[in-house]
């Protein structure tokens, strides 16, 4: 080989090396460089949330989700879509939800669910209250009178003005218990126009957005040429705080769900045995700043904002659960006591967080205008909870309903501060009450957010490892 050829080859190799290093140096920026710093509309930074979640919240919330009280969720997956004709349910096997046989449900949970969210006429209340008390006494004679009164009070609890979600009627024959541990949230293959239609309806019709403003990366909207979303964010920044918060909550929920799908992706299936795990290609497709034109990091920041909102709700609702009258009753006395101890421990951690979102900054204008805006906020979110019945994949519908209800419960808590402060210590509350369905949704929804942030840390490590491995491979190939 001539000297000129060798020099040309060396020059090409050096150029390729420089290009490779530039590419590799960009990899960790997917999540490290742009998902940092202080979040908008609050005084909290990403790193503080990461550390708090990793070392305090995640290990405990994971244990709590494994407890019987929190693993069984009663849901109606057969409610028809109220907004458009359904185009059929997903036939992919991974979309299927396996309901839990009644025989597997702890007796205390079965007893409790029949006593919550019942619509009873005033003239029959006393009779039904006696029947409820009789049933409870037959199931567990060790329950205190106060506990019985609490359960009966739940029976009177109806869809009030404070509800941000449309709850499933647990008495419906179509409502079934689902073991959440046996039906994990993960990528099922459900995608395309049916899934886009759901999210499009949420964003375009329920996030206070005029149709003339185009949302970035909307697959159902016409191309906007060079507009990379700046006009959308100019519009968003011009909104009042409450409407900006609403959009960020929905965007954060969407980002969290996408992270779950990327982290639990069907990687391969051999002899009928599937292998699930993190899919970096899918993660980059959804969150890479280049592939998403800067939208991915914004969505991840909204995930952190949503985490802050639900974290604040847990710290505010702690007094409700700290009362001796509130039992997480399954029928297993020791496990019930341990579960409540663990839950109260988590509440103590949430109260120790130093940079909570200040919900008092919302709906703080003139009373009439604030009340009207709050009602509009509530009805928009309630509408989104109804859209979840339009999801064609049962497993996606299950987790969509649960996480939407969990966020709705968090909002209900944040805007019921006065009622929570007036809670009696040793008697049922008439002003503020949570059903078991709401409690299970609230803690599991926050558990999913905690898991999302933990999975985001895992993707950071995987991307860094991929970068380091590629550098070693290049060095070996170049200097051998």
């Amino acid at each position: 080989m001539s000297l000129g050829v060798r020099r040309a080859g060396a020059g090409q190799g050096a150029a390729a090396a420089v290009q490779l290093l530039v590419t590799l140096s960009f990899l960790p920026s997917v999540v490290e460089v742009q998902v940092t710093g202080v979040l908008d509309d609050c005084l909290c930074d990403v790193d503080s949330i990461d550390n708090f979640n990793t070392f305090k919240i995640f290990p405990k919330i994971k244990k709590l989700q494994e407890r019987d009280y929190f693993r069984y969720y009663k849901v109606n997956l057969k409610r028809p879509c109220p907004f458009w004709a359904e185009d059929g349910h997903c036939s992919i096997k991974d979309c299927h939800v396996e309901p839990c046989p009644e025989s597997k449900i702890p007796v205390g949970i079965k007893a409790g669910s029949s006593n919550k969210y019942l619509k009873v006429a005033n003239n029959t209340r006393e009779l039904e209250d006696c029947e409820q008390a009789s049933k409870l006494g037959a199931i567990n004679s060790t329950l205190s009178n106060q506990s019985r009164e609490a359960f009966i009070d739940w029976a009177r609890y109806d869809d009030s003005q404070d509800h941000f979600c449309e709850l499933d009627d647990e008495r419906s024959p179509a409502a079934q218990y689902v073991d959440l541990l046996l039906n994990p949230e993960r990528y099922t293959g459900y995608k395309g126009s049916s899934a886009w239609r759901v999210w499009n309806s949420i964003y375009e019709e329920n996030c206070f957005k005029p149709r003339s403003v185009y949302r970035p990366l909307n697959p159902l909207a016409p191309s906007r040429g060079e507009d990379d979303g700046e006009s959308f964010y100019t519009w968003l920044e011009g909104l009042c705080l409450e409407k900006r918060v609403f959009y960020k909550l929905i965007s954060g929920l969407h980002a969290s769900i996408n992270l779950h799908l990327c982290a639990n992706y069907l990687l391969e299936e051999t002899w009928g045995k599937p292998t699930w795990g993190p899919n970096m290609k899918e993660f980059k497709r959804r969150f890479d700043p280049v592939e998403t034109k800067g939208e991915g990091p914004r969505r991840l920041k909204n995930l952190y904002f949503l985490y802050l909102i639900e974290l604040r709700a847990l710290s505010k609702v702690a007094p409700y659960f700290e009362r001796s009258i509130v039992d997480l009753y399954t029928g297993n006395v020791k496990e019930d006591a341990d579960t409540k101890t663990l839950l109260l421990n988590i509440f103590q951690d949430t109260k120790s967080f130093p940079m909570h979102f200040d919900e008092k900054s919302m709906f703080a204008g003139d009373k009439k205008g604030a009340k009207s805006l709050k009602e509009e906020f509530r009805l928009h979110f309630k509408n989104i909870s109804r859209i979840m019945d339009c999801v064609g994949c049962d497993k996606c519908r299950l987790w969509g309903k649960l996480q939407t209800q969990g966020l709705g419960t968090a909002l209900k808590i944040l805007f019921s501060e006065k009622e929570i402060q007036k809670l009696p210590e040793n008697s049922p509350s008439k002003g503020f009450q949570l059903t078991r369905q709401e409690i299970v949704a609230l803690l599991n929804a926050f558990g999913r957010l905690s898991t999302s942030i933990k999975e985001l840390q895992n993707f950071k490590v995987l991307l860094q490892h991929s970068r380091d491995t590629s550098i070693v491979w290049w060095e070996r190939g170049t200097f051998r």
Side-chain angles (χ1 to χ4, degrees):
M1 182 183 293
S2 70
L3 181 61
V5 172
R6 285 201 299 270
R7 283 177 177 169
Q12 291 172 353
V18 170
Q19 180 61 42
L20 178 60
L21 285 174
V22 170
T23 302
L24 293 172
S25 66
F26 169 74
L27 276 174
S29 71
V30 172
V31 286
E32 286 188 78
V33 175
Q34 300 194 36
V35 189
T36 57
V38 177
L39 301 176
D40 295 334
D41 292 321
C42 61
L43 298 175
C44 185
D45 63 279
V46 168
D47 289 343
S48 296
I49 297 175
D50 282 339
N51 291 331
F52 181 77
N53 183 68
T54 298
F55 297 109
K56 284 200 169 185
I57 293 296
F58 179 73
K60 294 176 184 177
I61 199 77
K62 191 171 184 296
K63 287 183 180 178
L64 189 75
Q65 290 175 285
E66 294 170 355
R67 300 282 183 166
D68 280 356
Y69 187 90
F70 290 98
R71 70 182 289 180
Y72 297 108
Y73 180 63
K74 197 167 190 181
V75 62
N76 184 353
L77 297 176
K78 298 179 181 178
R79 288 177 62 170
C81 173
F83 300 108
W84 57 77
E86 295 181 78
D87 49 7
H89 267 52
C90 175
S91 59
I92 302 172
K93 66 176 182 177
D94 292 317
C95 288
H96 176 68
V97 170
E98 188 64 40
C100 193
E102 287 279 329
S103 60
K104 298 289 185 180
I105 308 299
V107 63
I109 292 179
K110 285 190 287 188
S113 66
S114 63
N115 301 319
K116 300 178 181 63
Y117 200 58
L118 298 180
K119 296 182 179 179
V120 292
N122 290 331
N123 60 351
T124 62
R125 252 185 201 162
E126 187 174 346
L127 176 61
E128 292 198 13
D129 286 353
C130 290
E131 291 176 352
Q132 295 284 3
S134 175
K135 290 177 183 177
L136 284 166
I139 292 169
N140 184 358
S141 60
T142 65
L143 277 177
S144 67
N145 289 332
Q146 289 176 344
S147 295
R148 287 196 184 100
E149 288 173 6
F151 279 121
I152 292 168
D153 191 62
W154 286 8
R156 293 174 176 169
Y157 186 58
D158 198 6
D159 194 4
S160 70
Q161 290 300 307
D162 292 325
H163 264 126
F164 282 76
C165 282
E166 184 162 309
L167 304 180
D168 285 346
D169 185 350
E170 295 187 68
R171 300 169 303 161
S172 168
Q176 294 179 300
Y177 285 104
V178 173
D179 186 336
L180 298 175
L181 298 183
L182 297 182
N183 293 275
E185 184 179 23
R186 57 193 180 195
Y187 184 78
T188 64
Y190 175 65
K191 57 184 178 180
S193 58
S194 178
W196 291 339
R197 188 178 191 180
V198 170
W199 283 112
N200 200 60
S201 178
I202 290 172
Y203 282 114
E204 299 297 319
E205 299 167 18
N206 294 279
C207 285
F208 305 97
K209 188 182 76 61
R211 291 194 176 275
S212 59
V213 175
Y214 286 85
R215 180 170 51 89
L217 304 183
N218 180 3
L220 302 184
S223 172
R224 301 297 293 168
E226 297 298 318
D227 186 351
D228 59 359
E230 289 307 314
S231 61
F232 173 82
Y233 286 100
T234 299
W235 163 80
L236 186 65
E237 290 306 310
L239 292 178
C240 63
L241 171 65
E242 293 79 5
K243 292 182 179 181
R244 285 202 309 273
V245 166
F246 191 97
Y247 171 79
K248 289 179 181 180
L249 295 181
I250 300 306
S251 174
L253 178 61
H254 196 181
S256 180
I257 291 172
N258 278 335
L259 259 172
H260 302 155
L261 306 187
C262 296
N264 289 282
Y265 203 93
L266 181 58
L267 302 177
E268 63 177 358
E269 188 165 5
T270 307
W271 300 101
K273 293 184 178 181
T275 300
W276 303 87
N279 186 323
M280 284 199 294
K281 183 178 179 181
E282 188 68 19
F283 175 82
K284 291 174 69 177
R285 185 180 74 82
R286 295 174 188 259
F287 297 110
D288 183 290
V290 173
E291 292 194 33
T292 64
K293 298 182 180 179
E295 181 67 10
R298 280 175 166 142
R299 293 176 177 178
L300 290 174
K301 275 200 166 186
N302 290 336
L303 160 65
Y304 281 90
F305 185 82
L306 173 59
Y307 181 94
L308 272 186
I309 293 292
E310 295 200 14
L311 180 71
R312 179 61 166 167
L314 292 183
S315 72
K316 301 290 282 188
V317 81
Y320 177 86
F321 291 92
E322 288 167 352
R323 299 176 302 155
S324 59
I325 193 174
V326 175
D327 296 317
L328 305 177
Y329 181 62
T330 68
N332 184 326
V333 177
K334 185 179 184 308
E335 178 169 313
D336 293 348
D338 290 344
T339 300
K340 184 168 183 180
T341 299
L342 178 58
L343 180 61
L344 294 183
N345 193 263
I346 291 172
F347 285 142
Q348 284 301 118
D349 285 337
T350 65
K351 288 191 284 187
S352 73
F353 187 71
M355 291 174 281
H356 275 296
F357 175 78
D358 182 12
E359 72 283 356
K360 291 180 181 177
S361 60
M362 296 178 64
F363 308 111
D366 68 280
K367 288 188 177 181
K368 185 176 181 181
K371 183 177 180 181
S372 175
L373 182 59
K374 181 179 176 181
E375 180 64 5
E376 190 179 9
F377 190 103
R378 186 184 73 84
L379 291 176
H380 275 239
F381 194 86
K382 193 169 186 177
N383 213 43
I384 290 174
S385 74
R386 298 177 70 207
I387 293 174
M388 289 299 142
D389 283 319
C390 300
V391 177
C393 160
D394 277 351
K395 188 165 289 182
C396 307
R397 181 183 292 206
L398 164 67
W399 286 101
K401 285 168 75 82
L402 181 143
Q403 290 172 88
T404 303
Q405 185 180 9
L407 175 52
T409 304
L411 293 172
K412 169 184 166 180
I413 292 165
L414 288 180
F415 303 123
S416 301
E417 183 176 19
K418 291 181 180 178
E419 291 78 6
I420 293 174
Q421 288 176 345
K422 295 177 182 177
L423 288 171
E425 173 60 34
N426 296 310
S427 62
S429 165
K430 299 294 190 292
F432 178 83
Q433 192 65 264
L434 294 175
T435 67
R436 179 181 174 274
Q437 190 183 38
E438 288 175 305
I439 295 169
V440 172
L442 174 68
L443 272 300
N444 273 285
F446 184 67
R448 298 312 293 149
L449 295 179
S450 178
T451 300
S452 290
I453 289 178
K454 190 71 170 64
E455 294 291 2
L456 184 53
Q457 309 315 305
N458 292 341
F459 274 113
K460 287 184 181 182
V461 173
L462 289 172
L463 287 166
Q464 181 65 49
H465 177 72
S466 174
R467 175 179 180 270
D468 293 343
T469 301
S470 298
I471 290 175
V472 170
W473 171 84
W474 173 77
E475 288 178 341
R476 288 176 178 172
T478 303
F479 298 112
R480 188 165 9 201

